[in-house]
PDB file of all heavy atoms in Angstrom:
ATOM      1  N   SER A1157      33.147  71.076  98.974  1.00 72.00           N
ATOM      2  CA  SER A1157      33.971  72.083  99.621  1.00 72.00           C
ATOM      3  C   SER A1157      35.461  71.851  99.425  1.00 72.00           C
ATOM      4  O   SER A1157      36.265  72.724  99.736  1.00 72.00           O
ATOM      5  CB  SER A1157      33.650  72.142 101.119  1.00 72.00           C
ATOM      6  OG  SER A1157      33.918  70.893 101.725  1.00 72.00           O
ATOM      7  N   GLY A1162      35.073  77.072  89.244  1.00 96.00           N
ATOM      8  CA  GLY A1162      35.298  78.151  88.292  1.00 96.00           C
ATOM      9  C   GLY A1162      34.106  78.382  87.391  1.00 96.00           C
ATOM     10  O   GLY A1162      33.232  77.521  87.259  1.00 96.00           O
ATOM     11  N   PHE A1174      38.100  81.436  80.368  1.00 98.00           N
ATOM     12  CA  PHE A1174      37.992  81.525  81.810  1.00 98.00           C
ATOM     13  C   PHE A1174      37.389  82.869  82.214  1.00 98.00           C
ATOM     14  O   PHE A1174      37.714  83.900  81.631  1.00 98.00           O
ATOM     15  CB  PHE A1174      39.383  81.373  82.433  1.00 98.00           C
ATOM     16  CG  PHE A1174      39.441  81.688  83.892  1.00 98.00           C
ATOM     17  CD1 PHE A1174      39.000  80.765  84.828  1.00 98.00           C
ATOM     18  CD2 PHE A1174      39.923  82.905  84.327  1.00 98.00           C
ATOM     19  CE1 PHE A1174      39.048  81.063  86.179  1.00 98.00           C
ATOM     20  CE2 PHE A1174      39.982  83.216  85.672  1.00 98.00           C
ATOM     21  CZ  PHE A1174      39.537  82.291  86.603  1.00 98.00           C
ATOM     22  N   ARG A1199      30.982  81.399  96.974  1.00 91.00           N
ATOM     23  CA  ARG A1199      30.488  80.031  97.156  1.00 91.00           C
ATOM     24  C   ARG A1199      29.901  79.878  98.544  1.00 91.00           C
ATOM     25  O   ARG A1199      30.330  80.534  99.488  1.00 91.00           O
ATOM     26  CB  ARG A1199      31.599  79.016  96.915  1.00 91.00           C
ATOM     27  CG  ARG A1199      32.718  79.032  97.924  1.00 91.00           C
ATOM     28  CD  ARG A1199      33.893  78.196  97.443  1.00 91.00           C
ATOM     29  NE  ARG A1199      33.554  76.782  97.339  1.00 91.00           N
ATOM     30  CZ  ARG A1199      34.312  75.893  96.681  1.00 91.00           C
ATOM     31  NH1 ARG A1199      35.420  76.276  96.076  1.00 91.00           N
ATOM     32  NH2 ARG A1199      33.949  74.621  96.638  1.00 91.00           N
ATOM     33  N   VAL A1206      27.920  77.555  94.028  1.00 95.00           N
ATOM     34  CA  VAL A1206      28.827  78.646  93.690  1.00 95.00           C
ATOM     35  C   VAL A1206      28.050  79.655  92.855  1.00 95.00           C
ATOM     36  O   VAL A1206      27.163  79.285  92.076  1.00 95.00           O
ATOM     37  CB  VAL A1206      30.079  78.134  92.944  1.00 95.00           C
ATOM     38  CG1 VAL A1206      29.718  77.468  91.627  1.00 95.00           C
ATOM     39  CG2 VAL A1206      31.078  79.250  92.731  1.00 95.00           C
TER      40      VAL A1206
END
Side-chain angles (χ1 to χ4, degrees):
S1157 61
F1174 170 79
R1199 67 192 295 166
V1206 62

